[in-house]
Amino acid sequence: MKTILNIFVILTISALFCSPALKAQTNPDSLIFKAMNDELNRNLSRLSIDKHKPPFFISYQLSDAQSLSIKATLGSLVSSNELPGRNISVRLMVGDYSLNDENFIGGSGTSVGGNSLPLPLDNNYGAIRRALWIACDQSYKRSVESYDQKLTAIKQQNNPDEEKLDDYSKITSVSLIRQSAPVKYDKAKWESFAKNISGVFKSCPRITSSLVYLNMVNACVYVTSNEGTRIKLPLNLACLCVNAGCQADDGESLNNQLLYYALLPEELPKTDKIKQDILQMANNLDALSKAPVIKDSYSGPVIFEGEAVAELCTQKLLKNNSFIATRDPVFAAERPGIGRVNKLDDKINQKICSENLTIRETPKLKSFNNIPLIGTYEIDSEGVVPKDELTLVDKGILKTLLNDRVPTTKVKESNGHRRFALIGPFVSAVKAPGIINISWNNGKPAKEIYRAALKEAEKNGLEYVYLIRKLEVFNPGQTRSLMSMMAGRGSALSKPIGIYRMDVKTGKEQLVRSAVVSDFQMNNFKDIMFGSKEQMVYNTLLNSVIPVSVIAPQIMVFNDVSIEKDRNAKPKLPIVPNPLLSLKQ
């Protein structure tokens, strides 16, 4: 009896000691947060080198992701890769909130105070802590060195007091845990889907190149910091890019694309709808290859419609960081001629565009006109919850800019725009918008806008105006670079791939090609003639990594836009015709 009792006591004690471990195994969130917090506290108390200050700020970000990337052409697979990805990143600062090692460019480049390392795919408590330890050690050594160099540079350069800002803003810590069910992609199903829709091009022999690119990412990101921030968020994205190209009879390369973005792959359009879109795109490319080349340069009203409006706004307002607050860094040595990248910083409370234009950021909006918005988010990577609505431009007047926790002269506090970025199966963070809502005050219906634009052009002695419905878009499924698309035209837009010449008297449209918008500046937004009341949704990937949604007027008419003939060298036509022309379909 005594032996049985002893065994019972031993088993009871063992269960008490083992239960936390068993619980951690069945609850990966607890294990991950415990490993992050345990290592964070250890590094905060023990990281020190000689006389140097210990870190005052440490933040860990762990991402657990699964991605499926498929490429197909003419009904066959080109590649299919399913990749798990787990990594941690550390952001560590030496000094204090008012002055630390960041916002500094030394001889070896920018000090970012962070480091990233891969992790085992299993929930291994020791492996997570070891990776965090290595990353913290490397980050601290680099931060200490940058901090000393920065102090020296500040003393030597003696910047005016009024230009001195805190290096990092304080926030109230936030805890946000969002549970998510793990997603396992059916690889065979999506391979069949990609092959199926890519096979449509078999019936389009005029198309000389085509590629379907399908990419899906399902991720979960964990964030913790010594400020008390604790975040767990699911991140999902499905991207379908269909690219096609052909040549005109004079050799000009012509390209077109269909881009579909959704948070989940099931939210992508149905297969039959995509096939119809592909056939329409192929027909448009065929028509474009036979369209006349523009002959004369043009300067006057240009009507942007549909996708072209939203892509124009994306390229000129978002991709150039126009609405992103920027901070001049401290340089190790004075660098004359290097100024602020974003010129809008100094234009807050000034007119930057037409008084009829209002631009707001609505990051928590989930849909618009029943269309899901991929740019929606409820908290940023630094633990800042954005406002439901932030007015950037009010009736043409710039009110503020998008910022993270690095204060600038005009935006001294974060408004929650350090966004999570999806880079394959890994998660990073960059300063970016979420949902940009561009509206035209007192907008008119489309028919009225066309009549008014043509009437204005005729009054100014013009025989025709240009209408642009689509611009070429650099996308993840494209082999050509954005630089080749821009063809060295500086501040120009990407090449129009749906441009029409409209007769001012009859309104008749004629498709043309070889046209480029030679110059388009931010000042062009001051000279908008008309805008529509109706708005459209445009989901896109900013810089190929940030899910962004643009809600824009369906039509915008810019008063003075320059359009010229594309004078880039044209490749030679193939010597032997496309074999699909001779094959039976």
Side-chain angles (χ1 to χ4, degrees):
M1 183 70 181
K2 185 177 180 180
T3 301
I4 295 175
L5 181 61
N6 288 339
I7 293 173
F8 176 77
V9 171
I10 291 171
L11 290 174
T12 302
I13 294 173
S14 298
L16 289 173
F17 278 100
C18 291
S19 59
L22 290 172
K23 185 177 180 182
Q25 289 175 7
T26 57
N27 186 352
D29 291 358
S30 298
L31 183 146
I32 290 170
F33 276 122
K34 177 173 172 53
M36 295 170 76
N37 288 325
D38 288 350
E39 195 57 27
L40 187 149
N41 291 329
R42 191 173 77 102
N43 281 293
L44 270 174
S45 62
R46 298 179 62 179
L47 268 180
S48 179
I49 301 177
D50 301 330
K51 61 180 180 180
H52 298 287
K53 289 185 175 183
F56 80 95
F57 177 87
I58 299 178
S59 175
Y60 295 151
Q61 177 180 302
L62 184 150
S63 65
D64 190 355
Q66 187 82 13
S67 72
L68 178 59
S69 178
I70 299 169
K71 292 182 180 179
T73 187
L74 296 178
S76 298
L77 285 180
V78 175
S79 64
S80 179
N81 298 300
E82 190 170 15
L83 295 174
R86 238 185 182 197
N87 75 319
I88 57 98
S89 59
V90 172
R91 190 174 185 183
L92 180 150
M93 301 181 206
V94 171
D96 53 37
Y97 287 96
S98 62
L99 179 62
N100 60 58
D101 58 281
E102 292 195 349
N103 310 313
F104 171 69
I105 298 181
S108 59
T110 305
S111 168
V112 293
N115 206 8
S116 179
L117 288 174
L119 281 175
L121 300 180
D122 297 329
N123 286 318
N124 186 312
Y125 174 83
I128 294 173
R129 288 197 61 174
R130 185 177 66 177
L132 292 170
W133 163 64
I134 293 172
C136 257
D137 185 76
Q138 295 172 349
S139 296
Y140 179 64
K141 293 171 183 175
R142 184 172 59 247
S143 295
V144 164
E145 182 180 355
S146 294
Y147 184 69
D148 287 345
Q149 292 178 6
K150 184 176 179 180
L151 291 178
T152 301
I154 290 173
K155 289 179 182 178
Q156 291 175 344
Q157 295 171 24
N158 191 28
N159 291 322
D161 290 340
E162 61 268 19
E163 294 183 5
K164 292 181 179 178
L165 296 166
D166 285 349
D167 278 347
Y168 204 58
S169 61
K170 296 180 180 180
I171 63 167
T172 301
S173 62
V174 173
S175 179
L176 180 65
I177 308 296
R178 291 284 183 260
Q179 299 300 334
S180 60
V183 174
K184 181 67 177 177
Y185 296 122
D186 186 338
K187 188 177 180 181
K189 169 188 173 182
W190 293 110
E191 286 176 344
S192 176
F193 168 79
K195 290 191 293 184
N196 187 7
I197 62 174
S198 73
V200 174
F201 287 106
K202 290 180 181 180
S203 62
C204 309
R206 286 281 299 177
I207 302 300
T208 55
S209 65
S210 64
L211 182 69
V212 168
Y213 173 74
L214 175 64
N215 185 61
M216 297 174 287
V217 180
N218 169 250
C220 187
V221 62
Y222 301 81
V223 177
T224 188
S225 77
N226 64 301
E227 295 175 319
T229 293
R230 182 182 170 98
I231 301 170
K232 180 201 171 186
L233 284 177
L235 301 173
N236 297 285
L237 184 67
C239 163
L240 174 62
C241 308
V242 183
N243 288 284
C246 68
Q247 277 185 284
D249 290 341
D250 60 0
E252 181 182 3
S253 295
L254 304 171
N255 300 279
N256 207 331
Q257 77 279 319
L258 296 171
L259 305 176
Y260 308 95
Y261 297 102
L263 292 177
L264 297 171
E266 292 75 19
E267 295 175 354
L268 292 170
K270 301 298 182 185
T271 302
D272 289 345
K273 172 66 168 61
I274 296 172
K275 286 183 173 182
Q276 291 175 6
D277 292 347
I278 290 175
L279 284 173
Q280 184 62 53
M281 177 178 67
N283 291 334
N284 289 344
L285 267 176
D286 187 35
L288 187 61
S289 69
K290 301 171 184 176
V293 174
I294 70 164
K295 297 180 180 180
D296 302 320
S297 297
Y298 171 89
S299 181
V302 172
I303 304 170
F304 289 83
E305 180 184 306
E307 287 184 30
V309 178
E311 179 59 26
L312 159 70
C313 293
T314 300
Q315 290 185 24
K316 307 312 294 186
L317 300 181
L318 304 183
K319 286 185 178 178
N320 291 339
N321 291 331
S322 295
F323 285 112
I324 300 297
T326 56
R327 168 80 170 264
D328 287 339
V330 175
F331 292 97
E334 292 190 57
R335 301 188 183 187
I338 298 181
R340 186 175 291 114
V341 175
N342 186 357
K343 297 179 181 179
L344 288 184
D345 281 84
D346 295 327
K347 293 186 178 181
I348 289 181
N349 295 323
Q350 296 181 32
K351 182 179 178 180
I352 64 164
C353 58
S354 169
E355 61 273 10
N356 287 306
L357 210 59
T358 294
I359 304 175
R360 300 181 178 90
E361 221 253 351
T362 53
K364 298 178 187 177
L365 195 64
K366 296 186 181 299
S367 65
F368 184 85
N369 288 343
N370 296 319
I371 300 175
L373 303 173
I374 67 170
T376 183
Y377 71 102
E378 56 182 326
I379 193 170
D380 78 350
S381 66
E382 293 181 313
V384 180
V385 177
K387 294 181 179 180
D388 292 350
E389 183 176 291
L390 179 68
T391 299
L392 299 173
V393 176
D394 184 23
K395 298 179 181 179
I397 305 298
L398 180 65
K399 293 299 183 180
T400 191
L401 299 170
L402 307 177
N403 201 21
D404 57 12
R405 291 180 62 182
V406 177
T408 69
T409 55
K410 302 295 184 179
V411 188
K412 293 182 171 58
E413 294 181 355
S414 172
N415 44 38
H417 288 88
R418 188 82 179 174
R419 299 272 325 273
F420 290 112
L422 294 170
I423 306 173
F426 301 106
V427 179
S428 184
V430 295
K431 190 156 46 172
I435 299 170
I436 297 295
N437 190 323
I438 304 167
S439 60
W440 185 262
N441 305 326
N442 302 315
K444 298 180 179 180
K447 290 183 179 180
E448 289 187 25
I449 291 176
Y450 280 114
R451 284 198 297 266
L454 294 176
K455 185 177 180 180
E456 187 70 23
E458 186 178 17
K459 186 172 67 175
N460 292 328
L462 295 174
E463 296 180 4
Y464 56 85
V465 297
Y466 280 105
L467 164 64
I468 299 177
R469 290 198 171 102
K470 197 168 186 178
L471 295 167
E472 191 170 2
V473 180
F474 178 69
N475 61 79
Q478 202 170 42
T479 55
R480 298 167 63 229
S481 69
L482 180 61
M483 290 300 293
S484 67
M485 286 168 48
M486 301 300 287
R489 290 180 284 113
S491 60
L493 296 172
S494 61
K495 190 173 181 179
I497 52 179
I499 181 168
Y500 303 81
R501 190 163 50 203
M502 291 184 67
D503 188 287
V504 297
K505 292 183 178 180
T506 65
K508 183 179 179 181
E509 301 176 11
Q510 181 184 32
L511 180 66
V512 294
R513 62 181 175 90
S514 294
V516 294
V517 181
S518 59
D519 183 67
F520 200 101
Q521 303 283 351
M522 186 69 188
N523 281 338
N524 283 87
F525 283 89
K526 290 183 178 180
D527 202 12
I528 305 175
M529 299 170 65
F530 309 106
S532 67
K533 179 180 179 181
E534 298 83 3
Q535 290 178 286
M536 61 164 291
V537 170
Y538 185 71
N539 287 318
T540 186
L541 274 185
L542 192 61
N543 301 323
S544 298
V545 296
I546 302 290
V548 172
S549 300
V550 179
I551 302 169
Q554 183 70 30
I555 301 173
M556 291 176 71
V557 183
F558 289 80
N559 186 38
D560 190 15
V561 178
S562 297
I563 292 179
E564 297 178 355
K565 182 178 179 180
D566 186 357
R567 302 191 183 280
N568 287 311
K570 296 179 175 61
K572 294 181 179 180
L573 291 168
I575 298 173
V576 179
N578 185 346
L580 295 184
L581 288 168
S582 57
L583 293 177
K584 291 183 179 181
Q585 304 301 324

